[in-house]
Amino acid sequence: MQDDIRMAGNSFGKIFRITTFGESHGEGVGVVIDGCPPRIPLTREDFVRDMARRRPGGTPVASPRQEADRVEIQSGVFEGITTGAPLMLFIRNQDADSRPYEVLRQVFRPGHGDYSYFKKYGHFDFRGGGRYSARETAARVAAGVVAGKILDPVGVKVMAYTVELGGVKAKDMDLSLIEKSSFFCPDMLASKKMEEIVSNVRKEGNSLGGIVEILVKGCPAGLGEPVFDKLDADLAKALMSVGTVKGVEIGAGFEAARLTGSENNDPIAPGGFRSNHAGGILGGISNGDDIVLRAALKPIPSINLEQDTIDRQGEPSKLKFTGRHDIASIPRIVPVFEAMVKIVLADHYLCAKATQSKGH
Ligand SMILES: Cc1cc2nc3c(=O)[nH]c(=O)nc-3n(C[C@H](O)[C@H](O)[C@H](O)COP(=O)(O)O)c2cc1C
């Protein structure tokens, strides 16, 4: 596969189009946003909250790598307001330690991208996971802040939270408590149990997976473009494009397969839908109800336990990987999902406006 291979797939979106760049242990990561409307007030302070919610070093679950994750606005803003020109946002890497990754010159981490990148490109920056590192998601969070500024005046609110971690499920869903939990979990009792299980698994040198739900309130009916750019198709791609995601559900999701039509259909009344198994999307177009998505996350692949692998010559090898790692992609993935959903909705909102006929 290695001859004449180029790296494609760095851009996402049609009108509000993002292109991310950078590597975990290079100069930094960033995003170019093309198609951002003019006259949106934007300063570096706008990024502080969401970047802090994603950055490592913030919680006991996350990698201790210390990154300030300050967003530099390199272009597209004049006097604190977007001009409509491409926006370039840059986040410098400050605390990269490449030493533990030297071993990856020879052997592949089971569960990670090392093996498939080697097979495809033959040469790649494996330090800190390079291009396939979750560090790239910092750029997405920055783009999500800009997308949020397009959605705010429309009244669209996007909120993500943890509903399961290491087999511990949230039962009491009090969404006002999310920011109080180290895992953005709306159930404080479950959050405490998650802390315990994470602490035990960390001592064992192992890692955990979980499930995050994303709720969109205030999305107008009519977003989504038949047939390949259906809203649910684009949202699923947006979530699936984040590392560790192995499954995406919309509304009743896999549970819908076990319902009859009369159970699954959402009865329509003059005031709206009486239930929401559809998750706010019918025929690939938003129906005005809440959009509900869930993503299933595999455990973090880099673990501190010896595992069987092979080296670049295909010979059997053993690997016990040290270095600074998250125990789970939760909680850092939570703001990444919010950002990706905002990016999709902003793109579809601008698309709907662009294709609206004047007489409508
Ligand atoms: C927020 C977040 C944090 C992550 N942290 C780590 C980490 O510390 N160490 C690691 O090996 N993988 C980490 N990952 C997972 C890898 O990026 C991912 O598993 C890898 O690129 C392989 O891709 P795949 O899981 O989609 O197959 C993280 C992922 C996310 C989304």
Side-chain angles (χ1 to χ4, degrees):
M1 278 294 281
Q2 296 165 21
D3 294 341
D4 301 328
I5 283 286
R6 67 185 185 100
M7 192 177 287
N10 297 295
S11 303
F12 182 65
K14 286 230 154 32
I15 293 187
F16 185 85
R17 186 163 173 81
I18 67 165
T19 302
T20 72
F21 60 89
E23 291 84 18
S24 179
H25 289 199
E27 286 299 309
V29 294
V31 61
V32 174
I33 306 174
D34 204 0
C36 177
R39 299 188 306 282
I40 297 176
L42 192 67
T43 67
R44 46 200 290 177
E45 281 68 44
D46 289 322
F47 298 94
V48 171
R49 176 181 176 271
D50 283 355
M51 297 306 289
R53 291 168 84 232
R54 195 219 67 97
R55 78 177 184 84
T59 73
V61 200
S63 155
R65 178 171 170 171
Q66 293 294 334
E67 290 288 355
D69 281 354
R70 263 186 287 278
V71 175
E72 297 169 22
I73 303 173
Q74 303 270 13
S75 72
V77 171
F78 174 61
E79 295 179 334
I81 296 169
T82 60
T83 60
L87 267 173
M88 179 178 154
L89 308 173
F90 188 58
I91 304 140
R92 269 172 220 284
N93 293 330
Q94 290 175 321
D95 185 24
D97 179 4
S98 305
R99 286 167 301 179
Y101 293 90
E102 271 306 305
V103 64
L104 301 184
R105 278 189 197 283
Q106 271 312 313
V107 297
F108 307 111
R109 276 173 297 178
H112 220 302
D114 313 328
Y115 179 81
S116 40
Y117 263 63
F118 177 70
K119 280 289 179 195
K120 185 171 170 91
Y121 301 108
H123 177 69
F124 62 102
D125 183 351
F126 51 77
R127 301 165 306 158
R131 184 68 184 144
Y132 51 101
S133 161
R135 180 110 191 101
E136 181 266 346
T137 62
R140 301 179 188 218
V141 170
V145 169
V146 182
K149 293 217 161 205
I150 296 167
L151 298 173
D152 277 346
V154 189
V156 180
K157 291 277 167 258
V158 180
M159 192 188 264
Y161 41 88
T162 300
V163 292
E164 190 170 330
L165 176 58
V168 179
K169 292 189 170 107
K171 292 193 180 97
D172 290 334
M173 304 287 267
D174 182 348
L175 300 187
S176 68
L177 299 176
I178 293 167
E179 297 299 326
K180 295 201 164 71
S181 155
S182 341
F183 304 100
F184 301 120
C185 174
D187 178 340
M188 285 299 116
L189 202 62
S191 182
K192 268 261 157 286
K193 284 194 194 140
M194 288 172 187
E195 267 173 44
E196 277 164 35
I197 191 165
V198 161
S199 151
N200 293 339
V201 166
R202 177 189 288 282
K203 280 181 211 140
E204 290 164 15
N206 221 335
S207 63
L208 292 168
I211 300 177
V212 169
E213 187 165 279
I214 305 107
L215 173 68
V216 181
K217 290 203 157 287
C219 181
L223 301 195
E225 304 298 325
V227 289
F228 293 112
D229 300 335
K230 290 177 176 175
L231 188 59
D232 39 3
D234 280 354
L235 286 167
K237 178 166 184 176
L239 299 185
M240 268 286 178
S241 73
V242 183
T244 70
V245 177
K246 296 309 269 186
V248 173
E249 286 189 325
I250 299 183
F254 275 60
E255 192 52 39
R258 298 181 196 105
L259 302 178
T260 60
S262 62
E263 288 167 331
N264 186 58
N265 291 343
D266 302 312
I268 314 175
F273 296 92
R274 292 218 181 99
S275 56
N276 191 12
H277 294 107
I281 302 172
L282 289 167
I285 298 175
S286 61
N287 63 13
D289 210 339
D290 292 349
I291 295 174
V292 186
L293 308 155
R294 271 176 305 280
L297 317 172
K298 76 181 194 185
I300 293 289
S302 299
I303 55 173
N304 204 355
L305 294 171
E306 190 172 87
Q307 291 191 291
D308 287 332
T309 184
I310 56 167
D311 63 20
R312 290 191 182 198
Q313 287 69 46
E315 297 299 322
S317 186
K318 299 267 182 203
L319 177 67
K320 182 176 172 180
F321 196 69
T322 52
R324 301 171 298 178
H325 290 283
D326 298 311
I327 301 299
S329 56
I330 292 171
R332 296 180 55 214
I333 203 166
V334 170
V336 179
F337 283 153
E338 289 178 353
M340 289 311 293
V341 169
K342 283 180 194 171
I343 289 164
V344 171
L345 294 176
D347 188 35
H348 274 273
Y349 175 71
L350 295 177
C351 206
K353 271 184 39 168
T355 51
Q356 205 168 32
S357 77
K358 290 252 186 312
H360 189 57

